[in-house]
């Protein structure tokens, strides 16, 4: 299973959702890989910590090393597994990002390397039970590469009027990728993040989207300071506080996705 978490808007919780779903998968005994395609490196920092993932100490090889290798001929290429790093959590592994991804994007596009990630993840899929891919807040080379390589795509939504307008464009992007590149790509649905159940606006907005027939998931992820604390500790919720309300909401989301 290769799942991509995708939204063109920043701040909707892509990295948090990617890492926490992957951590639940790993805690359940599945050998799980997180792939960080975002130059901001949020998922990588979440799992390794800021001290272990500063600009001067970013682990290599990483996803930037992989893409660089595709641009030049080498007598001996690195094996797919060489890019993967362990974390301190059992069964949870990381293919870390590189802050320099943005600088090489144009060259990768011009040399038509859009299918290289699919080959890498298919190879890694022989070893890992589940692969979760975090993407940048844009529909660019890296996001398109991820959607081409994925089986499933999950869209986070943060109950914002501007996010609502962008949902239709996101759905069009996914449909275009399905038609042109990856007919097996399945849209799992839209997950509401940072939900405030007592506030009227979020409730009305979600109800309106459901009435319009958008694929809204039943699970909701609450706004909570626990997520910020989890980031600061570089520890996913299920490993830090398995009985917290937000952890239980992530577990419900994981079960809902697994049932699809």
């Amino acid at each position: 299973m290769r799942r991509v978490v995708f939204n063109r808007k920043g701040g909707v919780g892509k990295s948090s959702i990617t890492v926490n779903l992957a951590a639940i998968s790993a805690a359940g005994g599945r050998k799980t890989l997180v792939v960080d395609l975002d130059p901001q490196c949020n998922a990588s920092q979440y799992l390794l910590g800021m001290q272990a993932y500063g600009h001067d100490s970013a682990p290599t090889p990483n996803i930037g090393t992989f893409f660089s290798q595709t641009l030049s001929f080498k007598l001996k290429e690195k094996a797919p597994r060489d890019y993967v790093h362990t974390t301190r959590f059992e069964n949870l592994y990381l293919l870390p990002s590189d802050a320099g991804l943005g600088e090489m994007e144009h060259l990768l596009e011009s040399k038509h390397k859009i299918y290289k990630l699919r080959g890498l993840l298919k190879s890694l899929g022989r070893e890992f039970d589940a692969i979760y891919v975090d993407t940048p807040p844009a529909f660019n080379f890296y996001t398109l590469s991820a959607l081409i390589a994925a089986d499933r795509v999950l869209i986070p939504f943060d109950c914002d009027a501007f996010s609502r307008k962008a949902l239709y464009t996101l759905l069009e992007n996914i449909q275009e990728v399905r038609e042109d590149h990856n007919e097996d790509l399945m849209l799992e649905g839209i997950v509401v993040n940072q939900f405030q159940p007592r506030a009227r606006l979020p409730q009305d907005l979600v109800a309106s989207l459901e009435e319009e027939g958008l694929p809204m998931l039943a699970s909701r992820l609450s706004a909570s300071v626990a997520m910020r604390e989890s980031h600061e500790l570089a520890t996913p919720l299920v490993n830090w506080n398995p009985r917290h309300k937000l952890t239980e909401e992530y577990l419900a989301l994981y079960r809902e996705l697994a049932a699809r």
Side-chain angles (χ1 to χ4, degrees), residues 114 135 138-149 173 177 181:
I114 200 69
T135 56
F139 188 52
N140 60 12
F141 171 86
Y142 299 112
T143 308
L144 179 56
S145 294
L147 293 171
I148 289 172
N173 293 153
V177 173
H181 303 284

Side-chain angles (χ1 to χ4, degrees), residues 2 7 57 63 94 160 162-163 188 210 219 235 259:
R2 299 185 297 273
N7 195 314
S57 58
I63 195 66
L94 173 68
D160 178 88
F162 296 106
S163 297
E188 292 185 294
E210 290 174 334
S219 302
T235 306

Side-chain angles (χ1 to χ4, degrees), residues 58-249:
T60 55
N62 54 40
I63 195 66
T65 317
F66 165 73
F67 280 118
S68 293
Q69 180 176 270
T70 69
L71 293 170
S72 58
F73 173 76
K74 288 182 175 59
L75 289 175
K76 186 177 180 180
E77 295 186 346
K78 292 183 181 299
R81 186 61 174 78
D82 291 341
Y83 299 100
V84 175
H85 297 254
T86 59
T87 72
R88 55 194 177 91
F89 309 105
E90 187 176 2
N91 295 321
L92 189 56
Y93 297 79
L94 173 68
L95 202 172
S97 188
D98 187 324
L101 284 177
E103 299 174 6
M104 67 178 79
E105 181 178 359
H106 177 70
L107 192 54
L108 289 165
E109 286 180 323
S110 65
K111 295 204 172 185
H112 310 290
K113 302 298 183 180
I114 200 69
Y115 294 97
K116 291 296 183 180
L117 183 66
R118 181 170 69 178
L120 176 68
L121 297 192
K122 280 189 174 182
S123 296
L124 291 171
R126 301 186 186 105
E127 177 179 354
F128 292 94
D129 299 312
I131 298 175
Y132 289 78
V133 185
D134 187 25
T135 56
F139 188 52
N140 60 12
F141 171 86
Y142 299 112
T143 308
L144 179 56
S145 294
L147 293 171
I148 289 172
D151 304 311
R152 308 177 184 189
V153 55
L154 176 65
I155 299 175
F157 174 72
D158 64 352
C159 288
D160 178 88
F162 296 106
S163 297
R164 176 181 183 171
K165 293 179 181 179
L167 275 178
Y168 300 97
T169 303
L170 287 173
L171 296 173
E172 289 174 3
N173 293 153
I174 292 169
Q175 181 60 29
E176 182 181 356
V177 173
R178 186 186 291 120
E179 291 176 356
D180 295 345
H181 303 284
N182 183 3
E183 62 181 13
D184 297 324
L185 181 63
M186 181 181 83
L187 172 60
E188 292 185 294
I190 299 165
V191 57
V192 179
N193 189 31
Q194 303 177 58
F195 186 59
Q196 298 177 349
R198 297 182 181 179
R200 182 173 179 178
L201 177 60
Q203 290 186 19
D204 292 346
L205 187 53
V206 172
S208 175
L209 294 171
E210 290 174 334
E211 289 175 4
E212 292 176 25
L214 271 66
M216 309 299 294
L217 294 168
S219 302
R220 305 280 187 264
L221 302 174
S222 300
S224 173
V225 70
M227 183 57 72
R228 187 180 308 124
E229 294 172 346
S230 172
H231 289 169
E232 291 176 355
L233 293 169
T235 306
L237 289 164
V238 73
N239 303 103
W240 171 55
N241 192 343
R243 295 186 179 181
H244 194 279
K245 176 188 174 184
L246 186 56
T247 308
E248 293 176 351
E249 291 171 350

